[in-house]
Amino acid sequence: MDHKNSQSASYAAAGVDITAGYKAVELMKKHVARTRNEGCLDDVGGFGGCFGLPVAGMEEPVLVSGTDGCGTKVKLAILMDKHDTIGIDAVAMCVNDIICVGAKPLFFLDYIACGKNVPEKIAKIVSGVAEGCVQSGAALIGGETAEHPGLMPVEDYDLAGFAVGIVDKKKILNKERMEAGDVVIALASTGIHSNGFSLCRKAFNIDNNDPLLYIPREELGGKTIAEALLVPTRIYVKSILALLEKVDVKGISHITGGGFYENIPRSIPDGLCARVDKRAVKVLPIFDLIAQFGNVPERDMFNTYNMGVGMTVVVPAAEVDTALEILRANGEDAYVIGTIEKGEEKVILE
């Protein structure tokens, strides 16, 4: 589209450069193109993103939606001037939720609010969004970048997203089929993902840009704390879809804010309890550092962070080996951390 006649000196004087928005769209188009799939019907730049629903073979197609942001992890991305991975987090937080229902992601839209539209920075952010979409098989069919002078400092931005997936109604995961004797499998996380950053900021004095953030640490494999914290959220969509094809999955939990104590119970029916062996959890070193520097008790850690487990799935005991084989073949570090038993507490960590 030709925007040469669209410009406003008055609006620019008030802090909004609409021509920067046009440039940002042009710069991001190559990233958006990577995400196109069979459902895409038009190009970026219209008023609404159009998508053809792939419902062939489904008896009762159901749309499943999810929306989320990256929390104050964005502050660390701004501090480090690294903007090409935070978009992966935005996608992950949405698609990892809808896969818990058994839905395949179809498309994603992003929303970027910024103090000043710097096209190159916006394009980097969108490159991460596009990478997250590629990893999850979703198409990036649109979005919005809004310049907010006076509301946000010029260097600040925030990022949120919205995803839609689809599942045949009869295949929606039903936790009521869960029973005592089923097994809880953990899928390893890549780090703290996108939750608990307010506590991280306090523990590591991030808001004051503490030099501690930039010291390479042996326990982090030579990474700095800042680098370890900014590692993007793992996207589990393709491995879970592969699992659903072969295994009778009874429940899935995305371990986000609230950690084990809030998220595992969401997939457990009344009358049953997930008994989790804390000793089996492969706790990542970054969590040990948060506990150490923030003086955070163990229970608070498990009630705030994923502790190295980004997702859990519950399967019948007879299918554990098959489930582990499929998940590992799809690149997951998957292992057993507990069992389902009768009880009212929903989750017990011991």
Side-chain angles (χ1 to χ4, degrees):
M1 184 182 296
D2 185 359
H3 297 293
K4 65 182 180 181
N5 292 323
S6 178
Q7 51 188 306
S8 172
S10 298
Y11 207 8
V16 177
D17 183 357
I18 56 177
T19 61
Y22 302 144
K23 182 178 180 182
V25 170
E26 291 303 315
L27 291 175
M28 69 177 69
K29 280 186 175 180
K30 64 181 180 181
H31 303 299
V32 176
R34 297 178 57 214
T35 76
R36 289 186 66 85
N37 60 30
E38 66 278 4
C40 295
L41 299 181
D42 58 10
D43 293 324
V44 172
F47 287 99
C50 298
F51 193 90
L53 290 178
V55 297
M58 291 190 181
E59 296 177 10
E60 293 184 80
V62 175
L63 295 179
V64 181
S65 60
T67 186
D68 209 340
C70 308
T72 57
K73 186 172 188 175
V74 172
K75 291 185 70 70
L76 185 61
I78 294 169
L79 187 65
M80 294 184 65
D81 194 25
K82 181 173 174 54
H83 312 287
D84 59 348
T85 60
I86 195 71
I88 300 175
D89 294 287
V91 176
M93 297 306 291
C94 297
V95 298
N96 282 347
D97 275 355
I98 66 176
I99 194 64
C100 292
V101 182
K104 175 184 177 181
L106 295 176
F107 58 82
F108 185 85
L109 292 91
D110 61 8
Y111 179 84
I112 304 170
C114 57
K116 180 177 177 57
N117 187 335
V118 179
E120 293 77 13
K121 180 191 289 188
I122 298 300
K124 285 183 179 179
I125 296 169
V126 173
S127 74
V129 174
E131 175 59 27
C133 287
V134 169
Q135 290 183 24
S136 62
L140 178 56
I141 65 170
E144 174 71 12
T145 301
E147 202 168 6
H148 291 163
L151 181 63
M152 306 173 72
V154 295
E155 71 276 7
D156 278 8
Y157 64 87
D158 197 11
L159 171 65
F162 171 79
V164 172
I166 193 168
V167 62
D168 202 344
K169 187 175 181 179
K170 65 183 179 182
K171 294 185 177 181
I172 294 175
L173 294 185
N174 180 7
K175 66 182 180 181
E176 299 302 327
R177 298 189 308 107
M178 200 175 295
E179 57 188 4
D182 289 340
V183 175
V184 183
I185 294 175
L187 280 66
S189 69
T190 49
I192 73 168
H193 287 180
S194 298
N195 300 103
F197 266 83
S198 294
L199 181 52
C200 286
R201 284 162 49 214
K202 180 180 179 182
F204 298 124
N205 198 22
I206 289 176
D207 291 347
N208 293 316
N209 201 13
D210 196 309
L212 167 73
L213 291 168
Y214 307 105
I215 301 172
R217 303 188 70 93
E218 183 178 352
E219 63 264 59
L220 297 176
K223 286 189 175 75
T224 65
I225 289 174
E227 289 171 334
L229 292 176
L230 206 54
V231 171
T233 306
R234 184 166 182 81
I235 293 175
Y236 300 97
V237 169
K238 293 181 179 179
S239 55
I240 292 295
L241 288 175
L243 183 70
L244 291 171
E245 289 182 2
K246 302 290 185 181
V247 172
D248 181 21
V249 178
K250 303 286 189 71
I252 303 176
S253 290
H254 182 199
I255 312 301
T256 56
F260 283 54
Y261 286 102
E262 286 191 20
N263 292 289
I264 292 180
R266 294 168 69 177
S267 66
I268 308 296
D270 291 341
L272 292 179
C273 170
R275 186 174 292 275
V276 175
D277 181 0
K278 287 188 294 187
R279 296 166 299 181
V281 176
K282 299 179 181 179
V283 177
L284 298 174
I286 188 62
F287 296 107
D288 294 328
L289 290 173
I290 294 169
Q292 175 188 339
F293 284 96
N295 193 27
V296 184
E298 182 184 65
R299 193 191 189 287
D300 287 357
M301 291 296 297
F302 275 92
N303 206 168
T304 305
Y305 296 105
N306 68 62
M307 300 302 287
V309 178
M311 187 162 280
T312 60
V313 297
V314 176
V315 302
E319 298 189 57
V320 169
D321 289 343
T322 301
L324 291 174
E325 181 181 350
I326 292 170
L327 291 168
R328 290 167 180 169
N330 282 273
E332 304 297 346
D333 178 8
Y335 57 96
V336 173
I337 60 169
T339 56
I340 301 298
E341 59 184 46
K342 292 183 178 180
E344 298 298 331
E345 291 191 55
K346 289 293 183 73
V347 62
I348 297 174
L349 275 68
E350 59 181 14

